[in-house]
Amino acid sequence: MPDVSSTPAARLRDILQLRFTDLFTGLPAHMLEPISPASSLKRLLKVAGYATLRLVGNVFRPVRNAEELRGKVWLYVVSQNNYDSLHFVREARPDSVLVAGQSKQIGRYNQQVNRLSLRRKLLYYGQLPGVLLGLWRTEGTKAWRFFDLVFNAIGYFEVYCRALRHYRPQAIIFANDHNDDARAMLLAARACGVPTAYVQHASVSTSFPPLGFDLSLLEGQDALDKYRQCGPVHGRTELVGMPKADAFLATKNQNPAVQRVGLACNTLDDTQAIADALGHLLREFPTITFTFRPHPSDKRDFSFLRQQHPQLQFSDARQQNVFEFLLQQDALVAADTSTHLEATLLNLASIYYRFATHGITDDYYGYVAHGLVERANTLPELTELVRRYQQHKPLDLYRRAAYYNATLGTPDEGHSQQRALRLLAGWLPEQA
């Protein structure tokens, strides 16, 4: 098992590993601003708000959980998508509990997740000067540029170590390997000797930290190949397909022509470019039903699109999961999102089209390079592809996803949850 960094600064560097990459630092301003403002004054104000609402606020909000956490298998979640990806384990194993940090936002599942108290996090801010100095030596000016993220991350490791020693969970199963608090929990588990497993919940990137769990259940060869590029792969890996897709794989889209098109965007995508593409498509294809779906973390106000295009339908990602959305479409238009993979698995015609001109991501997940989806570089090219699929959509598009989903076309197709549960059941007794 990899060693846990010995100093607070080294641990914070490991926890914030993704934040110091060129990929993160080069994000477009509109995406980076809500995470870490460009203005030093705004970062200081953000830190003050965090200190008041979270650090001090948590002190006066004691945690009372409905479920016992001691000796259980913890399913550690940091988002609504994580919850959706691990809930099948909760349903199958009475010894498992869903767990998150005290104030972590889990979308519509906020009230259904047990919480770990972060009241003592406040006690560790004496580390701040030494941590910043240590990070300045290794990361240079990035240490100050992301001072607010460093401030937020202090104390997670120590508080989680204390929680693990108190509750002594059998093991911790993650669905995220790169968020700050998930990284802190992983380091704490290593330090406390708690076994860890990972269930991949979305397509991965070569910018992620090296795979560092005792057992990693990956969706397919694509994920394993990418993690090998991230660094040494620790522990045992198994390819299990996509557990969250099981219930939907039997209902592949059999429409021979595209009549309904979903357009999905994320926070990287430019608002004006989205509006231009939608306006163009609605004019070119008056008989096609278009549905617009922003990412659940996207806080932009897109109500102007509803006013401009009354015929445009909307999908609320906070209320409707991605497969429910895709079942109502025949095709998808999107840029860098793992929704392309989920769409192809359901036999939708998925088209890669960038709603931006930034150079940070281009075929980020390699979907175009590996033939999963077709690419349109311009609106005329996008029009041509949609028109072709409007006339004829093949019924075997889903076969393109075999590199990404190891169970596709095998007897285990649609049974990834059972496969994952068998592997977890065989692994967990070994930890007793």
Side-chain angles (χ1 to χ4, degrees):
M1 179 176 290
D3 293 334
V4 177
S5 302
S6 57
T7 67
R11 283 197 296 269
L12 263 293
R13 185 176 183 274
D14 197 343
I15 289 169
L16 294 165
Q17 193 171 148
L18 190 62
R19 306 298 191 183
F20 296 128
T21 62
D22 291 340
L23 173 72
F24 183 77
T25 59
L27 287 174
H30 79 270
M31 185 174 183
L32 196 54
E33 189 69 16
I35 303 173
S36 178
S39 162
S40 298
L41 177 59
K42 287 183 178 180
R43 291 200 298 276
L44 288 169
L45 290 173
K46 183 182 171 198
V47 163
Y50 179 88
T52 303
L53 297 175
R54 290 287 184 91
L55 295 181
V56 177
N58 285 341
V59 171
F60 297 99
R61 286 196 295 269
V63 169
R64 296 184 178 89
N65 290 313
E67 296 180 287
E68 175 59 61
L69 305 188
R70 192 181 303 273
K72 297 296 184 70
V73 175
W74 286 9
L75 311 176
Y76 186 79
V77 297
V78 298
S79 70
Q80 182 173 294
N81 286 340
N82 279 197
Y83 182 103
D84 287 333
S85 297
L86 291 182
H87 193 254
F88 77 96
V89 182
R90 176 69 184 94
E91 291 180 330
R93 294 193 65 103
D95 62 345
S96 65
V97 288
L98 287 147
V99 176
Q102 184 168 350
S103 302
K104 194 69 178 180
Q105 293 301 305
I106 314 296
R108 64 178 178 268
Y109 304 123
N110 265 337
Q111 306 305 316
Q112 299 174 43
V113 177
N114 298 285
R115 301 292 177 165
L116 298 176
S117 174
L118 297 176
R119 300 171 76 183
R120 291 176 177 267
K121 197 170 182 284
L122 189 63
L123 301 177
Y124 298 95
Y125 278 82
Q127 299 174 356
L128 184 59
V131 163
L132 283 176
L133 180 60
L135 289 174
W136 187 275
R137 288 171 178 159
T138 60
E139 306 303 326
T141 56
K142 291 178 184 177
W144 174 250
R145 172 60 187 87
F146 298 114
F147 159 77
D148 50 340
L149 303 182
V150 174
F151 185 90
N152 294 358
I154 285 177
Y156 271 127
F157 171 81
E158 292 83 359
V159 169
Y160 282 162
C161 279
R162 188 176 186 276
L164 294 178
R165 288 192 293 266
H166 176 73
Y167 290 113
R168 299 182 181 277
Q170 292 181 50
I172 307 174
I173 302 175
F174 297 77
N176 182 288
D177 68 332
H178 56 275
N179 274 29
D180 307 346
D181 45 347
R183 295 287 300 165
M185 178 60 85
L186 175 59
L187 292 187
R190 289 179 188 167
C192 296
V194 178
T196 58
Y198 169 59
V199 178
Q200 180 189 342
H201 91 280
S203 291
V204 302
S205 157
T206 54
S207 298
F208 283 8
L211 202 57
F213 303 88
D214 299 313
L215 173 66
S216 295
L217 304 182
L218 305 180
E219 292 177 358
Q221 191 63 43
D222 168 75
L224 183 55
D225 289 346
K226 285 176 178 171
Y227 274 121
R228 284 171 173 161
Q229 295 180 59
C230 296
V233 172
H234 167 74
R236 173 184 166 196
T237 60
E238 297 283 352
L239 306 184
V240 300
M242 188 185 291
K244 66 180 181 181
D246 280 355
F248 304 97
L249 291 183
T251 54
K252 294 183 179 69
N253 186 294
Q254 297 298 306
N255 290 346
V258 164
Q259 299 172 317
R260 304 164 300 172
V261 176
L263 190 148
C265 78
N266 60 39
T267 53
L268 268 175
D269 298 327
D270 179 73
T271 304
Q272 188 57 52
I274 293 168
D276 290 346
L278 271 170
H280 176 85
L281 290 170
L282 286 162
R283 286 191 301 272
E284 289 290 325
F285 300 98
T287 62
I288 289 181
T289 300
F290 287 91
T291 302
F292 177 60
R293 178 183 172 92
H295 190 275
S297 67
D298 198 332
K299 294 181 172 56
R300 285 176 289 181
D301 182 4
F302 289 106
S303 59
F304 74 94
L305 292 174
R306 195 185 302 272
Q307 295 169 0
Q308 291 177 0
H309 309 291
Q311 73 274 41
L312 180 63
Q313 298 188 10
F314 284 75
S315 168
D316 184 349
R318 298 180 185 88
Q319 301 298 325
Q320 183 184 45
N321 79 39
V322 67
F323 287 104
E324 292 167 345
F325 160 68
L326 291 171
L327 286 174
Q328 298 172 1
Q329 315 304 323
D330 301 314
L332 176 76
V333 175
D336 292 290
T337 170
S338 59
T339 308
H340 281 299
L341 173 57
E342 293 147 353
T344 304
L345 285 170
L346 297 186
N347 206 60
L348 272 68
S350 203
I351 301 170
Y352 179 86
Y353 177 78
R354 299 183 72 211
F355 306 101
T357 56
H358 62 79
I360 302 306
T361 59
D362 190 318
D363 194 21
Y364 180 62
Y365 294 113
Y367 292 152
V368 176
H370 286 100
L372 182 79
V373 300
E374 293 187 78
R375 177 175 190 148
N377 290 308
T378 64
L379 286 176
E381 288 181 12
L382 180 59
T383 301
E384 182 182 345
L385 280 175
V386 173
R387 198 174 306 284
R388 172 160 38 103
Y389 284 123
Q390 185 185 29
Q391 295 167 356
H392 173 67
K393 180 178 74 67
L395 301 182
D396 61 351
L397 293 171
Y398 69 94
R399 296 185 184 276
R400 298 176 177 180
Y403 177 56
Y404 297 86
N405 187 319
T407 63
L408 206 63
T410 76
D412 276 334
E413 181 178 335
H415 304 287
S416 291
Q417 291 185 9
Q418 293 95 315
R419 178 166 168 72
L421 289 168
R422 286 196 303 270
L423 289 165
L424 288 170
W427 171 74
L428 282 166
E430 297 174 9
Q431 317 304 326

